[in-house]
Amino acid sequence: MAEAAIMVSDGLWQRVRGEAQRGADADPVFGKALAGTILAHDDFAAALSDLIGRRLGGSAAERARFSAFSFDAFRGSPDLIEVAGRDLQAIAIHDPAIADLLPPLLHFKGYVALQAWRVSNWLWHHDHRDAALLFQNEASALQVSIHPAASIGSSVYLDHATGIVIGANVVIGDEVTILQNVSIGRGSELPTRSPRIGRGVYIGGGATILGDISIGDFAKIGADALVTSDVPAGCTAVGNPARLTNCPEPASAA
């Protein structure tokens, strides 16, 4: 798995470097920024670590510290770099305004916030919980707050990434798209448990998903919906409180 992750990240890194080199050749002023953020680095892990440090650190010392934590995580678990690459490719797939990988890598705060969370999650599970919570706190300045104890799959896209809150122990599957102002977390019932979001789910802007519930694969949550009960696979939940619509027809008996 680690060797596969290195191969995937190397291919993606060469594509990103190629885009950066073309951008630098076309615009010398922009090229100076690209030289420091992309072209100066040997691989995707180093470049992404530096970008996380630049986004989260308010001083040179803080930038170096966040970059070092990130680099340690990526080197300790190369699969994190594979997942980071899949997250980046998911943006190009799902956002019709994006064709290349370099713009979201450099400019989409949701992408950096998600990768900072991946580092915080690694720290959380390697007994560096104070550092993990520090990452969460500083990443919240990007208007994305994800608890280090959450679980998030790959190819995830935080679109616009403003006002997103994901609580502890929330489980989010692969290929999920989350728009702005979404809250996902535990409800008020006891014992407190958090939502489980399946694969390929789309969560519209302003939606709130609370409690010990499951959102099935490829379900859709409409804008401003309040969801406090299960949503079966393939269904759409709309309204406050949410109601189900457009559910797949049950398979007919043979």
Side-chain angles (χ1 to χ4, degrees), residues 57-127:
S59 66
E62 289 177 353
R63 289 192 293 272
R65 178 170 57 171
F66 285 116
S67 294
F69 273 126
S70 301
F71 195 72
D72 287 346
F74 296 146
R75 284 292 183 243
S77 296
D79 290 351
L80 290 177
I81 285 296
E82 180 190 17
V83 173
R86 291 175 187 244
D87 292 337
L88 190 59
Q89 291 170 320
I91 299 174
I93 291 170
H94 295 293
D95 192 331
I98 295 296
D100 296 325
L101 299 179
L102 186 62
L105 174 62
L106 292 180
H107 306 303
F108 282 28
K109 62 187 176 70
Y111 177 74
V112 176
L114 180 57
Q115 305 322 310
W117 170 80
R118 296 198 185 282
V119 174
S120 77
N121 181 253
W122 184 87
L123 291 166
W124 185 266
H125 290 291
H126 286 79
D127 296 324

Side-chain angles (χ1 to χ4, degrees), residues 119-211:
V119 174
S120 77
N121 181 253
W122 184 87
L123 291 166
W124 185 266
H125 290 291
H126 286 79
D127 296 324
H128 299 295
R129 296 197 168 189
D130 286 338
L133 292 171
L134 177 64
F135 263 77
Q136 181 192 8
N137 181 68
E138 295 305 313
S140 67
L142 302 174
Q143 301 186 56
V144 175
S145 180
I146 309 175
H147 195 280
S151 176
I152 301 178
S154 66
S155 300
V156 172
Y157 180 22
L158 306 184
D159 193 359
H160 297 291
T162 296
I164 294 175
V165 178
I166 299 173
N169 304 317
V170 169
V171 177
I172 296 176
D174 297 338
E175 301 171 21
V176 171
T177 297
I178 302 174
L179 271 70
Q180 68 277 4
N181 298 319
V182 165
S183 295
I184 307 172
R186 64 190 185 188
S188 58
E189 73 282 353
L190 294 174
T192 56
R193 294 191 177 95
S194 299
R196 299 164 299 283
I197 312 297
R199 179 183 179 187
V201 172
Y202 177 92
I203 304 175
T208 300
I209 303 172
L210 299 176

